[in-house]
């Protein structure tokens, strides 16, 4: 099966954190973090519709200028998401430049920014190039808790982690692929029609199997409509394939609260991209710097039941020996690191 997106780390593991999700069909991409973006050519940056910035430490936000410079002349809106205070930071970046040559241009490049506070999108604003990127307040987007983006084919969910400051961890979740068995429909005497679109929507919304569905009947001598349970329709006429789930976790101290949030977000994910800056022998340094160790990252991946774990964001103290980090996360992922700090609390804090 072909997935909706293709994930790719932007930099080598010692470089800035960042993940690029390229849509296989259509020119579109999502970015997780805006650190060093130079490995991405302009044609790839021009596809970016949404960028999710975990926090505003420099190695996660310094690439904003490059993205802005490449996208300035394009008509497609850019949607940014970040933690509390993020709109101010975008505003300050934009205020650092003179815009007299593009203000008033026919092409209006618009940047929308929304902040997640706890579990909610709480504040929003937009900046128009035509208006020299002056800040305009917007009502916060209407969204369910923890949801940043909800489109027909996918959604992006986030949780707030503790990194001394709030830091967003995000999950890209492709919605289930739903196909209709047309021959089975015919056998049941049910017609093809707009009700099938409604049926697919109900499945994507996650409505319970007991929900009764009004279906037009195509059979002669039957009532014009019949009531059938969603569960029966799912079993008898639909072929449902779960969508891909890709999770991105960076910059978080290891404690029970963070661990629980990461495990919930990454539960059963297909791929977990997770920071692994330190070896477990340096767990005290990791705790002081409010980061994970590779053993902790591997243990979180194991407890979340992910299919594949990819480490990133290695400390430069291990330059020349990245295999040590890879071996450690693999061992912890396999459950083969007794005595490591994977299950113990090495720091305390709150989100
Ligand atoms: Zn950080
Ligand atoms: Zn970082």
């Amino acid at each position: 099966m072909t997935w909706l997106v293709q994930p790719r780390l932007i930099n080598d593991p010692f470089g800035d954190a960042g993940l690029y999700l390229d849509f296989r069909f259509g020119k579109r991409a999502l970015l997780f973090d805006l650190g060093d973006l130079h490995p991405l050519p302009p044609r790839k940056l021009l596809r970016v519709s949404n960028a999710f910035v975990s926090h505003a430490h420099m190695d996660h936000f310094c690439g904003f200028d490059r993205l802005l410079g490449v996208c300035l002349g394009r008509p497609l809106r850019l949607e940014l998401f970040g933690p509390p205070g993020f709109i101010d930071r975008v505003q300050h970046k934009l205020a650092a430049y003179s815009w007299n040559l593009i203000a008033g241009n026919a092409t209006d490049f618009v940047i929308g920014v929304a902040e997640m506070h706890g579990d909610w999108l709480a504040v929003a604003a937009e900046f128009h190039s035509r208006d020299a990127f002056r800040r305009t307040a917007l009502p916060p987007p209407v969204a369910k808790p923890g949801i940043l983006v909800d489109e027909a084919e996918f959604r992006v969910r986030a949780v707030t982690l503790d990194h001394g400051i709030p830091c967003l961890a995000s999950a890209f979740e492709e919605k289930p692929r739903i196909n209709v068995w047309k021959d089975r429909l015919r056998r049941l005497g049910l017609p093809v029609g707009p009700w099938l679109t409604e049926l697919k929507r109900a499945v994507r919304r996650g409505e319970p199997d007991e929900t009764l569905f009004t279906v037009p009947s195509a059979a002669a001598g039957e009532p014009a409509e019949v009531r059938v349970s969603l569960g029966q329709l799912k079993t008898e006429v639909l072929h449902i394939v779960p969508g891909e789930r890709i999770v991105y976790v960076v910059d978080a101290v290891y404690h029970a609260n963070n661990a629980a949030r990461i495990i919930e977000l990454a539960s059963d994910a297909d791929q977990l991209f997770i920071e692994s800056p330190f070896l477990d022998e340096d767990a005290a340094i990791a705790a002081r710097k409010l980061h994970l160790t590779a053993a902790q990252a591997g243990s979180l991946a194991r407890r979340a039941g992910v299919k594949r774990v990819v480490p990133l964001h290695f400390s430069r103290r291990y330059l020349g020996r990245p295999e040590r980090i890879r071996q450690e996360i693999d061992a912890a992922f396999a459950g083969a690191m007794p005595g490591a700090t994977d299950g113990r609390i090495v720091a305390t804090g709150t989100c």
Side-chain angles (χ1 to χ4, degrees):
M1 171 159 151
T2 309
W3 299 116
L4 187 64
V5 295
Q6 166 96 48
R8 191 199 127 178
L9 284 174
I10 298 165
N11 294 295
D12 74 60
F14 291 101
D16 290 354
L19 184 69
Y20 182 85
L21 293 194
D22 204 359
F23 283 67
R24 290 180 193 269
F25 311 105
K27 289 189 175 1
R28 185 174 183 187
L30 309 180
L31 264 179
F32 292 84
D33 272 336
L34 299 176
D36 182 0
L37 300 181
H38 281 93
L40 294 173
R43 70 184 164 78
K44 291 206 160 185
L45 290 175
L46 281 168
R47 287 183 212 159
V48 175
S49 59
N50 306 65
F52 307 90
V53 177
S54 60
H55 63 305
H57 279 161
M58 207 174 168
D59 53 331
H60 299 258
F61 191 42
C62 65
F64 173 84
D65 284 22
R66 174 159 158 79
L67 182 62
L68 174 65
V70 168
C71 294
L72 261 187
R74 79 174 197 185
L76 178 67
R77 187 181 166 103
L78 174 67
E79 298 288 354
L80 301 179
F81 297 85
F86 186 58
I87 298 173
D88 284 346
R89 297 178 188 282
V90 172
Q91 184 178 5
H92 292 148
K93 287 258 194 194
L94 292 165
Y97 300 102
S98 300
W99 300 109
N100 60 307
L101 295 182
I102 67 159
N105 276 4
T107 304
D108 189 22
F109 174 55
V110 186
I111 303 173
V113 194
E115 291 179 5
M116 186 161 163
H117 294 205
D119 288 334
W120 294 93
L121 286 177
V123 195
E126 66 181 16
F127 303 84
H128 289 247
S129 65
R130 196 183 282 169
D131 196 23
F133 290 116
R134 263 187 287 279
R135 175 172 175 167
T136 307
L138 293 179
V142 179
K144 292 181 183 155
I147 304 293
L148 301 184
V149 175
D150 194 356
E151 298 193 10
E153 292 186 304
F154 72 92
R155 67 178 187 172
V156 176
R157 216 153 55 86
V159 295
T160 300
L161 301 179
D162 173 19
H163 175 47
I165 54 175
C167 180
L168 304 186
S170 305
F172 170 89
E173 300 180 339
E174 182 182 349
K175 295 200 174 161
R177 307 261 184 102
I178 305 169
N179 298 311
V180 178
W181 300 109
K182 298 260 173 60
D183 52 335
R184 293 192 192 173
L185 265 188
R186 259 194 309 277
R187 278 207 298 275
L188 291 167
L190 301 177
V192 176
W195 72 276
L196 288 169
T197 310
E198 262 320 301
L199 173 64
K200 290 180 184 179
R201 285 201 186 116
V203 173
R204 288 203 181 94
R205 282 195 301 267
E207 289 191 13
D209 284 355
E210 307 78 53
T211 309
L212 284 175
F213 223 80
T214 304
V215 181
S217 171
E222 295 277 321
E225 290 181 341
V226 288
R227 304 269 282 163
V228 187
S229 76
L230 186 61
Q232 188 184 348
L233 290 167
K234 274 161 70 176
T235 323
E236 296 187 7
V237 300
L238 295 183
H239 177 53
I240 302 173
V241 182
E244 188 179 29
R245 298 183 59 240
I246 298 168
V247 179
Y248 176 79
V249 176
V250 288
D251 291 35
V253 65
Y254 191 88
H255 59 49
N257 202 350
N258 271 354
R261 284 173 181 233
I262 293 168
I263 290 168
E264 186 280 321
L265 186 76
S267 174
D268 296 325
D270 294 280
Q271 301 196 59
L272 169 63
F273 293 85
I274 185 164
E275 71 150 2
S276 305
F278 295 96
L279 289 172
D280 201 62
E281 65 194 30
D282 295 321
I285 302 171
R288 203 166 60 241
K289 292 181 176 284
L290 307 170
H291 279 287
L292 301 176
T293 68
Q296 290 159 354
S299 163
L300 290 167
R302 176 168 50 82
R303 284 183 280 164
V306 308
K307 296 187 181 72
R308 177 173 181 246
V309 60
V310 182
L312 70 148
H313 216 12
F314 298 179
S315 165
R316 286 171 198 269
R317 70 174 52 224
Y318 310 110
L319 266 175
R321 46 194 182 119
E323 69 288 348
R324 290 278 317 275
I325 292 181
R326 293 187 201 285
Q327 284 160 3
E328 185 170 298
I329 192 172
D330 286 349
F333 186 42
M337 267 200 78
T341 55
D342 65 336
R344 286 189 277 129
I345 306 304
V346 295
T348 55
T350 53
C351 289

